[in-house]
Amino acid sequence: MAIHPFAQACDLVLFEHRSGNEVLRWPVLKQPVKFDVSFTHSVLGTHVVDRYMFRDVNGKLKAFIVEELFEGQGYGLPYGATSSGEKFERTDQGWRLTMNRMIDPLVQLPLPSQNIRLTMGKQSVLLGSLSKRSMLITTQQCE
C-alpha cells in the first residue's frame, strides 16, 4: 500500500451522487484517509459502525471497508468471515468483522430512520443534515 505525501490540501469530500453538488469538504490531516460511518440497523434497531480507509489502487485512491462492529445478528449483518484474510469475532460490545473489501464507488443514502453519521477524527456530521439524496464519499488532491 502506497501512502502519498501531499503538497496541497487533501480533502474528504461528499457530493450528491447524481447531481454532483458538493455537500461537505473536510481537510485530511494525515494519511491514510480513515473514517467511520455509523448508523442504526434498519431492522434490528441496533448500532452498527463501518470503518473505512482509502488505499492506493493503480495510482488512484479507492475506499475499502476494513471493519464492521455491530450488536446482535440478523438480516443484513454478517454471520462469519466469507473471504480469505477476514476475521469474525465476538467482543464485549457485540461482534467485529475485520476485512479488506473495496467499495467503488462508495455511495451512502442517508435514510432518516438510520441516523447515519460520518466521523473522521474529532469531526462528525449527521449525513441527513447535508442532503436527502445519495452521497458519493471520495477524496480530492490526496494522490
Side-chain angles (χ1 to χ4, degrees):
M1 172 181 79
I3 298 178
H4 299 280
F6 43 91
Q8 50 190 339
C10 172
D11 297 318
L12 182 71
V13 186
L14 278 68
F15 296 95
E16 288 182 341
H17 187 230
R18 300 282 182 219
S19 72
N21 292 329
E22 184 176 310
V23 295
L24 178 72
R25 179 177 294 267
W26 279 345
V28 175
L29 301 178
K30 66 179 185 175
Q31 286 204 33
V33 179
K34 297 179 183 182
F35 61 94
D36 293 347
V37 174
S38 60
F39 58 95
T40 303
H41 189 277
S42 61
V43 175
L44 300 176
T46 57
H47 189 69
V48 178
V49 177
D50 290 337
R51 296 222 157 108
Y52 292 91
M53 175 185 296
F54 276 88
R55 295 186 175 141
D56 182 276
V57 176
N58 299 322
K60 299 273 186 194
L61 289 181
K62 303 286 184 178
F64 284 77
I65 185 167
V66 295
E67 187 175 60
E68 185 166 52
L69 305 165
F70 55 95
E71 302 166 25
Q73 288 186 313
Y75 182 78
L77 292 173
Y79 283 91
T82 58
S83 298
S84 175
E86 293 185 353
K87 183 178 179 184
F88 187 69
E89 60 190 327
R90 183 88 164 116
T91 70
D92 292 340
Q93 293 79 35
W95 298 93
R96 175 184 14 240
L97 176 61
T98 305
M99 66 197 113
N100 185 38
R101 297 180 188 170
M102 184 168 59
I103 310 294
D104 185 42
L106 176 54
V107 176
Q108 183 70 60
L109 176 61
L111 297 173
S113 62
Q114 290 187 302
N115 297 310
I116 301 170
R117 180 167 294 280
L118 185 138
T119 303
M120 185 175 72
K122 295 181 181 181
Q123 302 175 101
S124 185
V125 65
L126 187 64
L127 292 186
S129 70
L130 302 174
S131 176
K132 304 286 184 239
R133 298 185 174 143
S134 293
M135 288 178 238
L136 172 67
I137 303 172
T138 190
T139 61
Q140 286 190 341
Q141 301 174 348
C142 295
E143 303 174 88

